[in-house]
Amino acid sequence: MQVQKLDPLATNYHRRSRTTPPVQQTKWLVDGRVDIGGLYWEGGIGRCGSMLTVLRVHLPSEIPVVGCEITPYVLLRRPDGSISSDEVPESIPFNGCCMRYRWYRNLGDQKVPICSVHPTEPATLQCLVCLKEKVPVAKSFHCSPKCFSSAWQHHRSLHERAKKAQTENEAEEEEVHGRGFGTFTLGLSGAPSSSAPVSIYPITVADKNGESWSEVGVSRTYTPTDEDINHVLKFECVVIDAETRASIGNVNTVLTSRVIPAPAPTPRRMIQVNGDLLGQLDVDGRASSGTFSVLSYNILSDVYATSEPYSYCPTWALSWPYRRQNLLREIVGYHADIICLQEVQNDHFEEFFAPELDKYGYQSLYKKKTSEVYSGNPNTVDGCATFFRRDRFSHVKKYEVDFNKAAQSLAEIAIQSSQKKVALSRLIKDNIALIVVLEAKFSNYGTVNPGKRQLICVANTHLNALQEHKDVKLWQVHTLLKGLEKIAVSADIPMLVCGDFNSVPGSAPHALLANGKIDQLHPDLAVDPLGIVSAYSSFARMVGVSSGLEQQRRRMDAATHEPLFTNCTRDFIGTVDYIFYTADSLSVESLLELLDEENLRKNTAIPSPEWPSDHIALLAEFRCKPTRIRR
C-alpha cells in the first residue's frame, strides 16, 4: 500500500482572506509571502488555508473483511502546531477547515470466486445443491475436494436451513442468515440487516490511470459488504474550506488489498446426553420449555490480544473490530438463555456487548477487576459479564466477590501480624467473581409444587493465571464456594459455577470443585456441602452408543472425565474452563460438541481467522430436578 505524503511547505495558495490570523502566529517574509504556523501562502493571508494539515494516513490492518469496519488512522497538524488524530468532520469545522472523506470500490477488478471456508484461497469447485436450494452463492465455493469433504458434515446444514427458510416467516429467515449462513451481514451495530447490501452512492469516477471507481462511502469509517468481496477499496481524505467546500492541498490516498468474506467458525452442534434419544440436535433446538442453557466463554480481552503471544494469527484477524464481529455472531448463534463471559473489557462491555446483546433480548450485569494491574487505563480493565434472556428469567439479586477484600479480611482474622504483608502480597491478585440469582419465567418442571418459585444461582469467575500460585487459586475457589454455601443455606436453589479457572483437571482447585475434597494436606476442605460436579463429565458417564456421543468421548480425558482442551495456543493446550453444577438439583440434557485439535491446528492455534478467542465456548443445557417439600 502506498501512502501519498503531502509537504505543506511546497504548496501555494492564492485565495484571499476576510479575517487576519492572530499576530503571534503570523510572519511576513521578505519575498512577500505569509508564514502562519509554519505554512506559507502567496498573495495574501488565507482564510483557513492549510492551518489544518494531513501528516499521515494508514490503515489499521492489511486485509479488509466483510462486516468488519475500517477506520483509517489520520494524523493531523493543528494551527498551534499540535499533532492530533481527533476527528474534524464537515459538521464541526475547526478554524474554518474540516476533513472530507471518500471511499471507492475498484470496478475494474476481475471477479474471481473464493473459498467459503478459506477466504484467502481461490475456489476450484462449487456445490450444485447450494444452487438448487438457493443457498447464497458465496457459500457454495470451495478451494479443493478435501476442503469440501471436510466441511460437508456442517455444509449440508446450509441446504436444510435454506430450504426451511423459504417456508418460514421473514423474521426467522433474518435470524438464520444473520448468523453467518447467508448473504446478510452484520452492520456497524452488529444487528442483522434485513436486506442484501445495496449501494447508495452511485457516483463513478476515473483516476489518472483510467481505472473506474464507484463511490461507496462518505465518512471516515467504512464497513465492507458482500458487494466488495475480491475488490480493492480506496480511501481518500483532504482538508477543505468549510464555507466554500473547496479542497486545500493534495488529496491523500490509501489503497486496501482485496476484500475477503468473514471466515465463520465451523458450526457446532448440541449432543444429547440425557433421555431416550441419543444423537445430534441443532444448537437452537430445544427439548422442552422446562430446560435452559448456559454458555461459558473466555473471549480474550483486546488488551491481551497482541502479536507477541499470538504471532501466528494475522493482525487483521487479531484486531478488535474483526474479533468483536465474530464473537457476537458466535455468541448470539448459540441462543443460550444465560451467558457467562470472561475477559470482557470495561469499555467493550459498556459500548459493545451490553447494547448489542440488549437488541437480542439479554439483560446484562458486570463486575470488573479491582484495579488496573496491566495497563493503568480503567477502560481496558477486564472482568466478568453475565447476560440472561429477559423472556426466560428475571433478576433477583447480584453478589460481587472481591478476592482482594476477602484476602484482607482473612489477614485481619487468621494471619499473624508478622506474616500479613507476605500473605497479602501473594493473595491479592485482583481476581473477582460475579454471582447472580435469577427466577425462571418458563414452566416449572423442577418441583413437585407447581406454584413454587424456581430460582437459579449462577456464578461467573476468572481465577488467577499464574501457574506458580496454585495455592492462591485453591484459596480463591474455596472463598467462592464458601460464598455460594451461604446462599444455599438461605434458599433451596440449584447452582452453576462457570468460568476460566486457570486450573487443569486433577489440580487441587479442580478437585475441590469437581470432587468436593482434596488430599490430606487440606482437611478443612474435605467436605462438599454443595454437591458440585462438572457438566462435561456427562459425556463420560453417559451409558449408550451413538456416533455423536462416541466421537465426543474420544475428545475427553479418560482419567479426569474432562475435555482434552478448552484453551489452545501455540505453547499450551489443555482444559481450564468449566461449567460446574449441583447434581442433586440439576441434570444435564445436552452439551455443545467439543472440537478436534486438528481442526484448530490448521492455523497453528487459536485465535485465528475462524475462531476469535484462544479459548473455546462451553454450552450446557440443564433441567431442574424435582425438589423435596420441606416440612
Side-chain angles (χ1 to χ4, degrees):
M1 293 178 287
Q2 297 294 325
V3 179
Q4 182 178 350
K5 296 183 178 180
L6 173 64
D7 181 1
L9 304 184
T11 306
N12 295 327
Y13 298 89
H14 302 280
R15 295 184 300 105
R16 292 199 174 267
S17 173
R18 289 167 295 185
T19 60
T20 302
V23 174
Q24 64 270 25
Q25 292 183 335
T26 304
K27 295 180 182 179
W28 294 92
L29 306 180
V30 294
D31 59 2
R33 291 182 300 162
V34 181
D35 174 5
I36 302 179
L39 305 176
Y40 301 91
W41 285 261
E42 288 184 351
I45 303 174
R47 178 177 174 274
C48 71
S50 287
M51 296 180 73
L52 191 66
T53 309
V54 178
L55 298 180
R56 184 185 178 194
V57 180
H58 71 83
L59 299 173
S61 61
E62 68 271 25
I63 298 180
V65 184
V66 169
C68 181
E69 65 182 30
I70 310 172
T71 303
Y73 181 80
V74 180
L75 191 64
L76 303 173
R77 177 186 285 137
R78 292 177 176 270
D80 60 1
S82 62
I83 307 300
S84 173
S85 59
D86 292 341
E87 182 72 276
V88 185
E90 296 182 48
S91 58
I92 310 177
F94 184 86
N95 278 21
C97 298
C98 56
M99 297 299 301
R100 183 170 65 202
Y101 306 109
R102 293 292 183 268
W103 282 93
Y104 300 93
R105 178 195 304 131
N106 192 325
L107 299 180
D109 289 326
Q110 183 179 1
K111 196 72 174 177
V112 178
I114 58 178
C115 179
S116 60
V117 179
H118 307 100
T120 57
E121 300 294 329
T124 62
L125 57 88
Q126 184 176 24
C127 174
L128 297 180
V129 179
C130 285
L131 301 181
K132 179 182 177 181
E133 299 297 344
K134 297 182 180 180
V135 172
V137 174
K139 297 292 181 180
S140 66
F141 294 113
H142 295 268
C143 58
S144 67
K146 181 180 179 181
C147 169
F148 184 55
S149 176
S150 300
W152 174 249
Q153 179 182 355
H154 300 289
H155 178 82
R156 62 183 180 183
S157 66
L158 300 180
H159 306 155
E160 300 166 4
R161 291 175 184 273
K163 196 174 211 178
K164 185 178 179 182
Q166 294 180 33
T167 58
E168 290 180 342
N169 60 48
E170 183 178 351
E172 290 173 331
E173 180 175 320
E174 177 182 321
E175 179 183 37
V176 170
H177 290 286
R179 296 209 313 271
F181 294 107
T183 58
F184 294 81
T185 60
L186 290 174
L188 289 175
S189 66
S193 58
S194 60
S195 61
V198 177
S199 175
I200 58 173
Y201 307 106
I203 300 174
T204 300
V205 298
D207 62 16
K208 61 183 179 181
N209 298 319
E211 294 189 21
S212 296
W213 297 83
S214 174
E215 186 177 300
V216 294
V218 294
S219 63
R220 183 173 172 180
T221 297
Y222 178 68
T223 303
T225 69
D226 284 343
E227 292 183 350
D228 297 317
I229 292 176
N230 217 33
H231 287 280
V232 171
L233 301 176
K234 178 169 65 174
F235 172 71
E236 291 184 350
C237 67
V238 64
V239 179
I240 66 171
D241 185 298
E243 184 175 306
T244 66
R245 321 307 286 181
S247 300
I248 302 173
N250 295 337
V251 176
N252 297 264
T253 301
V254 179
L255 298 180
T256 73
S257 56
R258 294 178 184 270
V259 177
I260 66 171
T266 302
R268 298 168 65 186
R269 293 178 176 269
M270 296 295 286
I271 308 296
Q272 193 81 8
V273 297
N274 197 12
D276 298 329
L277 204 54
L278 295 175
Q280 296 185 348
L281 299 175
D282 286 338
V283 169
D284 54 356
R286 298 191 180 281
S288 72
S289 60
T291 63
F292 66 95
S293 56
V294 180
L295 175 75
S296 184
Y297 196 3
N298 181 326
I299 63 169
L300 179 59
S301 172
D302 183 47
V303 74
Y304 309 140
T306 63
S307 295
E308 183 177 351
Y310 306 112
S311 58
Y312 50 85
C313 182
T315 55
W316 60 266
L318 201 57
S319 68
W320 178 242
Y322 175 78
R323 289 200 307 115
R324 74 176 186 180
Q325 171 195 255
N326 269 11
L327 284 166
L328 182 65
R329 179 167 49 229
E330 182 184 2
I331 291 168
V332 170
Y334 290 133
H335 293 274
D337 297 308
I338 302 170
I339 300 172
C340 295
L341 303 182
Q342 302 87 44
E343 287 197 22
V344 181
Q345 285 185 195
N346 185 57
D347 55 340
H348 293 166
F349 172 78
E350 295 177 351
E351 299 170 8
F352 182 71
F353 286 109
E356 292 301 329
L357 287 174
D358 176 72
K359 298 173 184 176
Y360 292 92
Y362 289 95
Q363 184 172 330
S364 57
L365 298 164
Y366 182 72
K367 169 64 177 174
K368 72 175 181 178
K369 287 181 178 177
T370 51
S371 68
E372 297 75 47
V373 176
Y374 297 99
S375 66
N377 183 348
N379 286 329
T380 60
V381 176
D382 67 283
C384 295
T386 299
F387 306 84
F388 60 90
R389 285 177 51 186
R390 297 186 192 90
D391 62 336
R392 302 277 286 168
F393 293 96
S394 59
H395 177 222
V396 176
K397 200 160 187 178
K398 170 186 175 183
Y399 301 90
E400 296 182 351
V401 180
D402 186 330
F403 291 117
N404 279 4
K405 291 181 180 179
Q408 292 166 352
S409 298
L410 176 66
E412 291 296 325
I413 298 173
I415 300 177
Q416 297 179 3
S417 299
S418 60
Q419 298 177 332
K420 284 183 181 180
K421 185 175 181 180
V422 175
L424 287 176
S425 66
R426 190 166 183 83
L427 290 178
I428 291 183
K429 302 300 177 189
D430 303 306
N431 301 100
I432 53 87
L434 175 62
I435 303 175
V436 179
V437 177
L438 305 173
E439 180 179 357
K441 293 183 178 180
F442 49 85
S443 300
N444 188 355
Y445 289 88
T447 176
V448 294
N449 182 1
K452 183 181 177 182
R453 298 170 68 195
Q454 180 61 70
L455 300 178
I456 296 172
C457 180
V458 183
N460 181 9
T461 191
H462 188 186
L463 300 188
N464 184 251
L466 297 177
Q467 294 306 309
E468 62 270 23
H469 287 176
K470 296 179 180 179
D471 56 323
V472 177
K473 300 177 190 180
L474 182 61
W475 173 78
Q476 290 178 346
V477 168
H478 178 242
T479 301
L480 176 59
L481 291 178
K482 287 298 182 182
L484 292 174
E485 188 177 347
K486 293 179 181 178
I487 298 174
V489 170
S490 62
D492 186 9
I493 178 172
M495 293 195 170
L496 292 144
V497 185
C498 306
D500 178 354
F501 293 83
N502 277 307
S503 303
V504 298
S507 63
H510 174 265
L512 180 58
L513 279 159
N515 305 322
K517 58 184 179 181
I518 52 179
D519 59 41
Q520 294 299 318
L521 296 176
H522 304 278
D524 55 324
L525 305 179
V527 294
D528 182 17
L530 299 178
I532 289 177
V533 296
S534 174
Y536 270 78
S537 64
S538 299
F539 276 144
R541 297 196 308 269
M542 185 62 196
V543 178
V545 179
S546 75
S547 59
L549 192 56
E550 286 303 312
Q551 183 184 56
Q552 296 309 300
R553 283 174 176 159
R554 291 193 294 271
R555 298 171 183 175
M556 300 286 292
D557 187 311
T560 63
H561 294 174
E562 293 289 1
L564 290 174
F565 68 89
T566 63
N567 181 208
C568 178
T569 66
R570 179 175 50 199
D571 304 318
F572 172 82
I573 184 167
T575 295
V576 294
D577 306 274
Y578 307 92
I579 298 177
F580 295 102
Y581 70 101
T582 47
D584 62 336
S585 57
L586 295 169
S587 63
V588 179
E589 297 293 301
S590 59
L591 295 166
L592 184 65
E593 68 177 330
L594 298 170
L595 296 172
D596 283 321
E597 181 179 351
E598 181 182 359
N599 180 287
L600 304 182
R601 289 296 188 192
K602 63 185 179 183
N603 292 301
T604 303
I606 52 177
S608 68
E610 291 183 56
W611 302 98
S613 175
D614 56 344
H615 294 248
I616 64 171
L618 300 179
L619 176 64
E621 182 184 37
F622 294 95
R623 185 187 299 275
C624 295
K625 290 182 178 179
T627 56
R628 297 178 182 176
I629 301 178
R630 295 183 178 179
R631 299 183 183 278

